[in-house]
Amino acid sequence: MKSFNSRHATALVVAGFIPVAAMSQENPVVHDTEYYILEAQHGEGWASDNESVEEKLAAFRESNGGNAPNILNILVDDLGFGDMGIPELNMVRGYSTENINQFSDEAMRLVRMYTEPSCTPTRVAQMTGRLPVRTGMGDTAVDIAGFGLPGDEVTLAEVLKQAGYATSHIGKWHMGDIAESWAMNQGFDYAQHAVHQQGQLTIFNDDAIREQVSVAIQDYDPKYTLDEFFRPDASTMATVIEGEAGGPINEIRFNAGDRWNAAKYDEMNQAFQDKTIEELIRLAEGDAPFFLQYWPMIPLHNTRTGRDGPESPNGGLYVDKMQQLDRWLGDIFAEMDKLGIADNTVVVLMGDNGHFTKYSPQSGFTPMVFRGGKGDTTEGGIRVDAFIRWPNLIGADSMINNIMHVSDLYTTLARIGDAYDFIPRDRLVDGVDQTASILFADESKGRRDSLIVYSGSTPKAVIKDKLKLELPGPGENPIGANFYDIFRDTHEKYPVSTEVGAWGGQEFVRVLKRHLARKQKYPDVPPAFGVPYEGIENLRPETISALEAWKIKQAAVQR
């Protein structure tokens, strides 16, 4: 552990934090049980690796005017493994992502990167370094819900901000519709993001309803409909908000009486892209290192209405928009070169979970290497393309195949950003520091060999080494539980239950039991609850009416 130094103390004061709190950070970061079992076997090597990592990072800071690197984090929605960075698989699919493929040649591929099965939990894990079940954030809400990420969670933005970073978030967020959960209230100096997600914005908007992407919302005679509150209306919900930390928050680009449609969705996505480049330029001109987060909402785009832009032989709704996103990312990478910041900026590019298979095959995406997609706990639901680029420090066109989880980016980027001291020590942090394996391209330096896979609040699988146990459901005989060898069986079709279970069954059960026992010391907490949209200063009349309907539904529980 690095000592708490004067530069950090100054950064804390400037950021409005009290240095006394950080002084209690001398204890190690608290992890789950399997970390300590590995530490008992590899602790001496880890300590040596940490010294080597610190030497490399300190040398970089010295060459960079005393600053840690900038960080650009790009998280793409609903992409399966193999859809970015492999031109041969592009050709198999019938489309091209030339800029991302070029980026992958300059980056390291994290071959065995695991996420959560859907959008919200993955984003929570990346931002907090914790499994989403620990804060009751394992589910994905699509409309007005009244809950979100608790304000006392310490996000990666807050950790980096304490180390002197300027922070900015653009695009999707999807961690709640209450004010304390929004990015500008979770460590970002500036944020412009959607309150909800593509359910509202591209699946049940007016054009999608007309094309029957969504059925039985407004495309029928409502003569037998009594409950006018039952069906969501995308146009009455808050759309995109903008604000600075501590400042006013406003809905933007949408006025009273407007209807949300495909054109509005296109306008929003273009605005996110433009704002990302604008923020990149602004932040690059500053003296502080920056943490810029761009979470685009395409390639999800569910209608043909008003569609233009790149087309592919595939012709899928999502695939063609993936080509557009590729062009946009190419523009961002080109702007970095123009600004002269590519060499001192760490760029992370990855998917957030597998394909949205409910919209296959018209989306153009179907599972390839792994079975399953969004919502599944099979490899196809939780294995994604993931790359990290840092010229001269991370080997170009390299790969590592040790197990990583999206929460590991929290601790790893904190280490790279000279902010590890600010990771909280008063709670369990699932993410482990993978900096050594990344910087040295050495799979033997990994600090994770297992993962508990959740669906919502329920453990569904245990991954250990090359093996995976599919946990039986309630009332099912555990003797019939399926084991899979992930290297041999990427589609999880051929269980090796007898061959593995005879020696490994109890060992897998013990991994799960240790994880559950650890929760007794560090118990899960619920999400934060509140009134949706409070804090938005310019709510439209139709949104206020939608809120009244939500309150009636809530009050019905108490009658």
Side-chain angles (χ1 to χ4, degrees):
M1 180 67 62
K2 304 192 303 297
S3 62
F4 181 75
N5 59 45
S6 59
R7 184 178 74 82
H8 287 153
T10 301
L12 277 172
V13 172
V14 170
F17 294 89
I18 301 172
V20 173
M23 296 303 288
S24 64
Q25 300 287 84
E26 295 175 359
N27 294 325
V29 174
V30 178
H31 291 301
D32 209 348
T33 55
E34 302 313 294
Y35 175 86
Y36 299 109
I37 292 172
L38 293 182
E39 184 183 51
Q41 300 171 68
H42 303 284
E44 289 186 10
W46 288 358
S48 176
D49 292 341
N50 286 347
E51 291 180 6
S52 299
V53 164
E54 285 303 323
E55 288 175 6
K56 269 203 166 190
L57 296 179
F60 173 83
R61 291 192 298 270
E62 184 177 356
S63 69
N64 194 44
N67 283 333
N70 307 313
I71 299 172
L72 172 61
N73 179 32
I74 304 170
L75 187 63
V76 183
D77 224 14
D78 295 358
L79 280 187
F81 187 94
D83 288 311
M84 295 192 292
I86 306 176
E88 292 84 355
L89 290 184
N90 277 179
M91 188 167 288
V92 166
R93 187 77 87 181
Y95 74 112
S96 178
T97 55
E98 297 176 4
N99 293 298
I100 294 173
N101 295 346
Q102 176 61 38
F103 174 85
S104 76
D105 288 343
E106 301 164 357
M108 170 182 283
R109 177 184 279 273
L110 310 177
V111 176
R112 206 170 175 192
M113 171 63 81
Y114 285 96
T115 64
E116 297 295 304
S118 62
C119 313
T120 294
T122 289
R123 291 158 200 273
V124 168
Q126 188 180 96
M127 280 290 92
T128 67
R130 285 153 54 80
L131 290 177
V133 69
R134 300 199 188 278
T135 51
M137 293 293 293
D139 291 322
T140 297
V142 299
D143 59 1
I144 303 173
F147 74 92
L149 185 68
D152 60 3
E153 284 297 300
V154 181
T155 67
L156 178 58
E158 290 171 307
V159 169
L160 292 170
K161 191 171 180 177
Q162 290 182 73
Y165 273 74
T167 57
S168 186
H169 176 88
I170 312 293
K172 187 169 178 174
W173 181 249
H174 199 200
M175 283 184 271
D177 57 8
I178 59 174
E180 72 180 274
S181 70
W182 298 334
M184 62 285 286
N185 295 326
Q186 288 280 0
F188 287 94
D189 301 321
Y190 169 83
Q192 181 186 131
H193 64 76
V195 177
H196 299 286
Q197 42 82 286
Q198 294 93 331
Q200 171 201 16
L201 300 170
T202 187
I203 291 175
F204 50 88
N205 69 47
D206 289 356
D207 290 321
I209 291 166
R210 278 191 289 272
E211 293 191 18
Q212 296 210 339
V213 175
S214 292
V215 175
I217 294 183
Q218 294 168 335
D219 55 344
Y220 69 103
D221 184 341
K223 64 185 293 184
Y224 299 116
T225 295
L226 297 180
D227 184 354
E228 295 181 359
F229 297 160
F230 178 62
R231 289 165 172 81
D233 182 349
S235 298
T236 66
M237 297 160 61
T239 55
V240 177
I241 56 174
E242 179 180 51
E244 297 181 357
I249 299 171
N250 287 283
E251 185 176 29
I252 59 175
R253 297 190 297 272
F254 205 53
N255 302 311
D258 287 352
R259 297 297 301 175
W260 192 265
N261 54 28
K264 285 287 186 184
Y265 188 66
D266 288 338
E267 176 189 347
M268 176 196 69
N269 283 299
Q270 184 66 61
F272 285 155
Q273 169 69 12
D274 294 343
K275 190 63 179 179
T276 298
I277 291 181
E278 181 182 319
E279 283 295 279
L280 184 67
I281 294 169
R282 181 184 70 82
L283 292 166
E285 292 173 348
D287 295 328
F290 64 77
F291 175 46
L292 174 58
Q293 202 155 251
Y294 178 35
W295 289 358
M297 301 191 82
I298 59 170
L300 269 67
H301 199 304
N302 283 71
T303 66
R304 287 285 174 195
T305 301
R307 181 170 286 258
D308 57 12
E311 294 181 348
S312 68
N314 177 301
L317 292 170
Y318 294 4
V319 164
D320 283 356
K321 288 299 180 181
M322 188 63 215
Q323 292 196 151
Q324 181 175 34
L325 180 59
D326 178 70
R327 292 185 184 182
W328 283 356
L329 295 186
D331 291 342
I332 291 172
F333 300 147
E335 189 64 39
M336 292 177 64
D337 292 335
K338 181 179 176 182
L339 292 168
I341 61 171
D343 285 351
N344 69 340
T345 303
V346 176
V347 181
V348 176
L349 170 62
M350 63 179 290
D352 71 344
N353 50 249
H355 294 306
F356 202 163
T357 53
K358 287 187 166 101
Y359 286 95
S360 298
Q362 62 265 36
S363 69
F365 284 130
T366 50
M368 281 198 299
V369 179
F370 300 110
R371 178 169 66 90
K374 183 185 183 80
D376 296 326
T377 55
T378 53
E379 297 290 287
I382 57 176
R383 285 279 290 274
V384 297
D385 289 325
F387 308 94
I388 183 167
R389 185 185 78 175
W390 190 5
N392 305 315
L393 278 96
I394 294 176
D397 201 21
S398 58
M399 295 186 290
I400 52 173
N401 198 34
N402 46 304
I403 294 176
M404 292 192 180
H405 183 252
V406 62
S407 63
D408 296 346
L409 289 174
Y410 178 88
T411 39
T412 302
L413 292 175
R415 173 74 75 187
I416 289 172
D418 198 25
Y420 197 85
D421 287 354
F422 303 113
I423 294 174
R425 268 63 169 181
D426 63 345
R427 65 201 69 188
L428 191 148
V429 175
D430 293 284
V432 299
D433 179 12
Q434 302 276 20
T435 313
S437 58
I438 290 172
L439 286 185
F440 299 110
D442 187 344
E443 292 162 355
S444 70
K445 299 185 186 304
R447 302 193 182 181
R448 174 188 296 280
D449 77 333
S450 65
L451 181 66
I452 308 295
V453 182
Y454 275 85
S455 178
S457 59
T458 305
K460 300 293 285 186
V462 179
I463 296 169
K464 178 78 171 179
D465 199 302
K466 63 183 288 190
L467 301 170
K468 182 174 185 178
L469 169 63
E470 183 182 81
L471 292 169
E476 295 180 9
N477 192 327
I479 292 177
N482 289 326
F483 285 90
Y484 298 99
D485 183 323
I486 298 303
F487 289 156
R488 295 184 182 184
D489 180 14
T490 59
H491 276 240
E492 296 166 72
K493 288 183 178 179
Y494 308 103
V496 286
S497 303
T498 303
E499 299 89 330
V500 172
W503 67 267
Q506 278 302 316
E507 289 302 322
F508 271 84
V509 170
R510 287 168 185 144
V511 170
L512 179 61
K513 284 185 174 179
R514 287 192 292 265
H515 166 75
L516 296 176
R518 188 73 162 151
K519 285 191 175 193
Q520 300 302 308
K521 186 172 183 179
Y522 296 96
D524 298 342
V525 298
F529 295 97
V531 177
Y533 308 154
E534 275 192 348
I536 300 176
E537 298 200 348
N538 61 337
L539 283 181
R540 292 170 285 120
E542 52 266 51
T543 305
I544 294 172
S545 295
L547 269 178
E548 290 304 313
W550 176 83
K551 290 175 182 177
I552 289 171
K553 293 177 183 179
Q554 301 304 302
V557 178
Q558 304 300 325
R559 294 295 294 269

